[in-house]
Amino acid sequence: SAELAVLAPGLRFGNDELQLSAVLGEDFDHDEKLLMLRGLGVSEQRCIEALDANGGELQGAVDALVELQPKEANEPAAAASTEDVWAAELALMGFPLELCRDALQRVGNDMQRAAEWLLEKA
């Protein structure tokens, strides 16, 4: 298994930038990795490019795409709301995307509390 860490850009708790992580198995095929990356609200082509550029390694692709997010915000087809990005990051922990959106809404878009809610209630 491998730990996947996603830095939540612009999301802070006090002075610290939040980072989400989840321990994932190494059994994901290319399509499953692509599906997870698409949850970040980035175009399929960018996800494929990020996976290819990182030798199919999920963490490297996530890092590249999260870093790319602010640049893609100027591209209407690829833009995603901050809440969608946060929900996608929570979904990387293995929860359904809609449940992650619901958790964020329940706790006022607080990533840490949403993660705790998911772990306790889901």
Side-chain angles (χ1 to χ4, degrees):
S1 65
E3 183 172 2
L4 175 69
V6 179
L7 191 61
L11 184 62
R12 297 195 161 297
F13 181 75
N15 291 328
D16 299 322
E17 195 161 30
L18 293 181
Q19 180 173 337
L20 301 175
S21 63
V23 176
L24 302 175
E26 297 175 9
D27 300 355
F28 295 112
D29 65 25
H30 187 267
D31 290 339
E32 291 169 322
K33 291 176 183 178
L34 186 58
L35 181 62
M36 285 186 240
L37 293 173
R38 289 283 290 141
L40 294 172
V42 181
S43 71
E44 182 170 355
Q45 184 59 38
R46 297 253 193 222
C47 293
I48 292 169
E49 291 168 2
L51 271 175
D52 290 346
N54 288 281
E57 200 264 326
L58 187 58
Q59 179 66 60
V62 168
D63 292 343
L65 291 171
V66 168
E67 187 175 298
L68 183 65
Q69 273 305 113
K71 296 173 189 166
E72 279 203 351
N74 294 327
E75 300 177 20
S81 71
T82 303
E83 291 81 9
D84 287 340
V85 172
W86 293 345
E89 290 174 4
L90 288 169
L92 288 172
M93 295 172 60
F95 298 103
L97 185 58
E98 286 304 315
L99 184 61
C100 295
R101 286 186 178 127
D102 182 53
L104 282 164
Q105 287 178 339
R106 289 175 182 268
V107 298
N109 289 326
D110 181 315
M111 283 285 285
Q112 186 66 41
R113 289 180 48 215
E116 291 170 1
W117 186 91
L118 286 165
L119 291 170
E120 290 175 12
K121 307 286 186 198

